[in-house]
Amino acid sequence: MTGFDTFAMLDWSSGNDTGPRPRRDAIWLGLVRGGVEESPRYFRNRVEAEAALAALIEAECAAGRRLLIGCDFPFGFPAGFARGLTGCDNPFAVWDWLETVIEDSPRANNRFDVAGEINGRFPGLGPFWFNGLKREIEGLPRRDTRTGHGLPDRRRADADAPGAFSAWQMGGAGAVGGQVLIGLPVLNRLRRLFYGQVAVWPFEVLDKPVALVEAWPGLINPVVKRAEAAGGIRDAHQVRLMVRALARLNPATLAAMLDVSAPEEGWILGLGHEEELMAACEEPLRPPPLRDDCFALPAGVDWTPVDDALALLSARLSPVVGQERVALGAAAGRVLTEAQVARRANPPQANSAVDGYGFAFASLGEGDQVLPLVAGRSAAGVPFPGVVPEGYAVRVLTGAALPEGVDTVILQEDVTLGEGRIAFRGGLKRGANTRRAGEDVEAGAVVLEAGRVLTPADLALCAAVGLAELPVFARLRVAVLSTGDEVVEPGEAAREGQIYDANRPMLLALLRQMGHEAVDLGRVADDRAALRAVLDRGAAQADAILTSGGASSGEEDHVSALLNEAGAMAEWRIALKPGRPLALGMWRGVPVFGLPGNPVAALVCTLIFARPAMAVLSGAEWREPQGFDVPAAFEKRKKPGRREYLRARIREGRVEVFNSEGSGRISGLSWAEGLVELPDGAAEIAPGDAVRYIPYASFLLA
Ligand code: AMP
Ligand code: MG
C-alpha cells in the first residue's frame, strides 16, 4: 500500500528553544493534504513539534486519510551498532534504548553525555565524536581522534548520498548525530502512542495508516538553492519543496523508491531517484499575477454591451499558468507557448504518389512509349540504391523516394508490362504522379502559432515535420463552487424548499471539455465565514474560480459581498439576456467569476464570458466561437438594448428554439444543442429569416 492522502516533511533540530520568531536551523514541518500545499510551520522547540505531530497523526487517522511523514535524520546506524549496544540487530532496540536514556527539554538535553556513554560501551575510542559543549565529556572526543571502535563510519545509504553526514558526528555545520539521538525517542513515543497505526520504513511493511520514512532534502538541493535565492528561510524551503516532491510523485515511482531492503541501517527515501524528486518539486515558470484592478470598468459605465465587455476581458487578462514540455502523444488539448517550426520538410523527399513506373520526363519522345526496365525497385522506406539512366524506367511503389534520374511516374494500370519492358501511351505531364519534397511544408516554415490549442490533426502535422516534444502551458486549474442555503447534493434527501445542485456538475464537466483541470470545491451555505474559507482553499488550489449563486447585491449574496470586502470586485452589468450582473473579482490574486445561480444564466455566462477569459488565462489565443447563419424555424420580436441567447438546435436545416424562454427551465438547456444569438438592437424574426446559430461544440473547440 503506497497510496497516501497526506504528506508531511519534518526538518528536525537537536538545539534548544529557538524563540517565537521563525528562523533557520529550527524545527519546520511541510504539509500537503489532498494535493493542497500548506505554508511550512515553524516550531520553536521539540515539545511543541512532538505535540503537533501527534495531533496530525490523530487528525489524519480520524479522517481516514493515509499519512506519510518524512524525517530528515537517519532511522538506523551503521551495521553492527545495534548489536554492540543492545545485543540484537533490531533497530527498534536502539530506539527503545535511546528513549530510556535521553533527557530532553526546550532548554537543554543530554545528547553529548549519551554519546559519551555509548562510546564507553564500545572498544577503543568512538564511534561518536565532536563534543560541542564547553565542559569535557568522558569518552567523547572533541575532534575526530576515534580509533578501534570497530564500526563502519557510514551506512550504505550515506555512502551513496553525496554530502550526507555520518551519524557519529555530533556537532559542526550540517552534522546529524545529535538529531538522531534526540529524534528517535520522539518517533518511538509516537509509535507507542499510535500503536498499530504507524509503520516505520524500511524496517516494517507499510500497511498501516501512517508511515514514518527517512527523507533528506539534500537530495533536492539544487531546487532548494534556487528557491532560496529568491529569499526566505532555507529550512522552510526544504520542507515545502521536499513534501511537494513526495506528494506529486506518481504512486508507481513512490512505490519503486520505497522498495528497498535495509533492515538494520535504514535507507534514505529517493536515493538514486533525485532527478524524479527534483522534477516533481520544481517551481513551474509562472508569469506575473494579474493586477487586482483588471476587472474595473471605465468610470460612468452602466450597462456594458457584450462586445465591449469581451474586448475588456481580452485586453486585461493574460496567461497565469506555468510552462512545461510534453511528449507529442500527450499534447492534444494543450496550449502551445511558442510558434513551432518544421525541423524537416513534408514530404522530406520527392516520392511517388502511386504504384507504377518512374523515369526521366526528358527521355520521352513523341507518341506511344516503350522503355526498358532497370533491375530492382524503389519501395516506401527501401529506396532504389542507384541512378536510373536516361531512357530507362524503374518500378516504384506509393510513398517510395524517387530514385536519381526519375522525375515522372506512370500509373501501373496505364502500362503494359512485357519481358523487361513497359509500354504506355504518350501525353503524360512532367512530374505526373509524384509529390515534390516540401510541397506540403518546407523545412523551417512555421507550422503552428503560439496560443494554439493542439488538435489531433496538429499532432499529425508536428510528427510529420520532426517535432517530438512540444512546449505547452501548464493546464489551467479552475475551481468550482456552488452557493446557497437551499442547494443540496444530488442523491441526498431534499427537504421542502431545497433544490439539487445542478450547476456544479454542469460547470465541472464543461471545464473538463474545455481542456482545463476542474477542481471541485463543493457547496457552501450562505455563510460568509464558510465561503471565505472555501475561496481561500480555491485560491490555493486553482488559477481561477467559478462560483454560482450569491453574485447579486442582495443580503444573502455573499460572493459579491466578500469580493467587495477584499477590495477587488467589479460588478459588470452586461447587456445580455439571460444573465444577471456578473461579479468579477480577485481573491488572493486569483480571478473569480461570480456566475448567477440560475443554471440557464450560469451556462450562458460561462460560455459567453468565462470561456474566452479562461482561454486567455490558460495561454490560448482569443477566439470567437464559430456560428452559422441558418434559416429560423420560429418567429420572435425583440426589443433593443440587450443581446439575447436562445436555447436552440437545428432540425432539417432550420434552427428551432425551446418553447419557453423561462430562465429556470433546465430541461431547455438539455434539449438544446446550441444557442441562437440575437443582436443587441431590435429584431423581428419571421420563419425562414437567417439567424446566427452557435453550436455548443463551437464554444468548446474555440
Ligand atoms: P442566486 O443567484 O443565488 O440568487 O440564485 C438564483 C436562482 O438560482 C435561485 O432560484 C437559486 O435557487 C438557483 N440556484 C442557485 N444555485 C443553484 C445551483 N447550484 N443549482 C441549481 N439552482 C441554483
Ligand atoms: Mg443564493
Side-chain angles (χ1 to χ4, degrees):
M1 272 206 302
T2 51
F4 294 94
D5 310 291
T6 306
F7 294 80
M9 179 69 211
L10 184 65
D11 181 342
W12 198 237
S13 161
S14 57
N16 295 338
D17 191 292
T18 41
R21 281 240 331 262
R23 42 163 284 186
R24 64 178 292 169
D25 295 333
I27 304 173
W28 288 86
L29 186 74
L31 191 85
V32 177
R33 183 186 286 108
V36 182
E37 297 179 12
E38 293 192 357
S39 299
R41 286 171 67 187
Y42 162 81
F43 298 99
R44 58 184 295 174
N45 62 49
R46 283 178 297 281
V47 175
E48 287 187 4
E50 187 172 339
L53 285 172
L56 175 66
I57 293 175
E58 177 142 16
E60 298 309 295
C61 287
R65 289 188 288 261
R66 291 200 76 216
L67 168 66
L68 180 143
I69 304 177
C71 307
D72 72 333
F73 54 85
F75 286 4
F77 289 89
F81 176 75
R83 179 161 290 272
L85 184 70
T86 67
C88 73
D89 298 329
N90 185 345
F92 293 128
V94 177
W95 290 34
D96 287 339
W97 189 92
L98 286 174
E99 193 189 336
T100 61
V101 301
I102 286 291
E103 291 161 16
D104 189 10
S105 82
R107 294 246 177 71
N109 64 64
N110 64 346
R111 65 186 189 276
F112 292 106
D113 298 284
V114 168
E117 189 189 334
I118 295 175
N119 279 357
R121 292 171 180 243
F122 285 84
L125 182 56
F128 287 101
W129 68 282
F130 202 120
N131 174 9
L133 300 182
K134 286 214 179 85
R135 67 180 160 85
E136 292 302 320
I137 290 178
E138 200 188 325
L140 185 64
R142 290 200 180 273
R143 280 193 243 112
D144 191 1
T145 51
R146 300 169 301 159
T147 154
H149 55 75
L151 293 170
D153 206 41
R154 284 165 184 277
R155 303 180 300 162
R156 261 201 52 214
D158 302 328
D160 289 354
F165 275 67
S166 154
W168 305 136
Q169 186 180 334
M170 291 294 295
V176 73
Q179 293 186 38
V180 189
L181 297 187
I182 293 292
L184 292 180
V186 173
L187 299 188
N188 212 36
R189 279 194 289 279
L190 292 173
R191 275 181 81 213
R192 221 181 23 259
L193 188 58
F194 297 98
Y195 183 76
Q197 288 173 283
V198 176
V200 179
W201 178 83
F203 310 136
E204 297 177 301
V205 179
L206 299 187
D207 57 358
K208 306 283 190 318
V210 181
L212 292 178
V213 307
E214 177 186 339
W216 186 45
L219 297 186
I220 58 163
N221 204 35
V223 182
V224 171
K225 275 187 151 163
R226 275 200 291 280
E228 224 187 327
I233 297 171
R234 175 177 175 78
D235 312 51
H237 286 305
Q238 286 184 320
V239 296
R240 177 177 67 81
L241 292 166
M242 192 69 199
V243 76
R244 174 194 286 175
L246 295 174
R248 287 196 188 162
L249 285 174
N250 80 45
T253 311
L254 180 58
M257 289 182 184
L258 288 167
D259 185 16
V260 301
S261 169
E264 181 188 348
E265 294 189 334
W267 197 257
I268 300 168
L269 182 72
L271 198 59
H273 297 266
E274 290 81 358
E275 292 302 323
E276 283 139 293
L277 283 172
M278 285 193 276
C281 66
E282 191 73 76
E283 305 271 9
L285 191 57
R286 286 181 82 90
L290 298 173
R291 292 157 51 117
D292 267 2
D293 61 359
C294 65
F295 293 128
L297 287 173
V301 166
D302 190 12
W303 285 92
T304 311
V306 173
D307 286 338
D308 293 4
L310 290 175
L312 274 175
L313 284 178
S314 121
R316 303 272 182 84
L317 298 179
S318 53
V320 294
V321 283
Q323 307 181 2
E324 58 185 338
R325 294 188 71 83
V326 296
L328 195 58
R334 305 299 298 271
V335 183
L336 275 183
T337 61
E338 52 193 65
Q340 294 302 298
V341 169
R343 296 233 169 112
R344 141 193 243 234
N346 182 52
Q349 70 262 315
N351 65 79
S352 177
V354 298
D355 289 347
Y357 298 86
F359 41 80
F361 181 79
S363 65
L364 299 184
E366 291 290 308
D368 293 350
Q369 307 290 321
V370 176
L371 293 182
L373 285 172
V374 295
R377 62 172 204 173
S378 185
V382 193
F384 179 76
V387 180
V388 177
E390 209 171 309
Y392 282 78
V394 65
R395 175 76 170 137
V396 294
L397 299 179
T398 307
L402 296 185
E404 208 176 310
V406 172
D407 61 5
T408 304
V409 171
I410 178 119
L411 195 65
Q412 66 185 19
E413 286 81 359
D414 293 341
V415 157
T416 309
L417 182 61
E419 187 58 37
R421 292 181 309 165
I422 54 169
F424 54 95
R425 306 218 94 136
L428 213 56
K429 290 208 179 82
R430 180 191 296 275
N433 298 314
T434 65
R435 306 172 181 138
R436 202 165 41 74
E439 73 173 23
D440 179 29
V441 182
E442 298 281 4
V446 171
V447 284
L448 294 169
E449 297 287 351
R452 171 81 176 184
V453 183
L454 291 160
T455 66
D458 293 343
L459 304 190
L461 175 58
C462 290
V465 300
L467 299 165
E469 217 190 44
L470 296 171
V472 296
F473 286 104
R475 274 190 203 281
L476 186 76
R477 284 165 307 172
V478 186
V480 176
L481 83 104
S482 294
T483 71
D485 284 339
E486 75 280 27
V487 182
V488 294
E489 194 70 10
E492 280 178 4
R495 289 196 315 276
E496 204 177 311
Q498 291 188 318
I499 57 166
Y500 288 116
D501 184 356
N503 289 338
R504 220 166 88 247
M506 171 175 75
L507 295 174
L508 288 167
L510 261 177
L511 290 169
R512 292 191 189 104
Q513 288 197 358
M514 289 172 186
H516 306 310
E517 199 174 298
V519 178
D520 187 356
L521 292 179
R523 288 172 295 108
V524 196
D526 288 320
D527 172 285
R528 212 159 288 191
L531 182 59
R532 185 180 282 123
V534 178
L535 287 175
D536 282 348
R537 198 147 57 79
Q541 277 179 271
D543 306 307
I545 301 175
L546 294 186
T547 69
S548 72
S552 308
S553 44
E555 60 191 36
E556 292 297 344
D557 289 322
H558 300 286
V559 172
S560 36
L562 276 180
L563 291 175
N564 254 328
E565 205 179 286
M569 146 95 170
E571 191 187 59
W572 285 25
R573 294 170 182 278
I574 301 163
L576 161 94
K577 187 181 165 192
R580 284 206 306 209
L582 200 57
L584 296 169
M586 301 292 284
W587 188 263
R588 295 181 181 270
V590 170
V592 180
F593 298 86
L595 301 166
N598 190 304
V600 177
L603 181 72
V604 170
C605 285
T606 302
L607 295 182
I608 305 298
F609 291 102
R611 176 202 63 85
M614 292 187 299
V616 174
L617 295 175
S618 76
E621 61 186 347
W622 180 277
R623 273 176 60 183
E624 310 255 307
Q626 292 303 300
F628 310 91
D629 284 348
V630 182
F634 62 95
E635 62 188 325
K636 176 168 170 76
R637 285 178 74 143
K638 172 187 177 301
K639 287 194 288 232
R642 290 205 284 171
R643 186 173 297 186
E644 264 187 64
Y645 290 93
L646 309 176
R647 284 151 278 179
R649 65 185 192 185
I650 294 182
R651 288 293 180 271
E652 282 154 22
R654 290 152 77 90
V655 59
E656 41 187 56
V657 295
F658 191 58
N659 59 24
S660 160
E661 289 181 21
S663 63
R665 300 289 193 100
I666 304 179
S667 68
L669 278 182
S670 160
W671 172 92
E673 291 160 8
L675 300 173
V676 156
E677 182 182 73
L678 300 179
D680 299 2
E684 191 159 349
I685 292 150
D689 289 353
V691 291
R692 186 172 158 81
Y693 172 73
I694 309 173
Y696 282 152
S698 276
F699 292 102
L700 303 176
L701 292 177

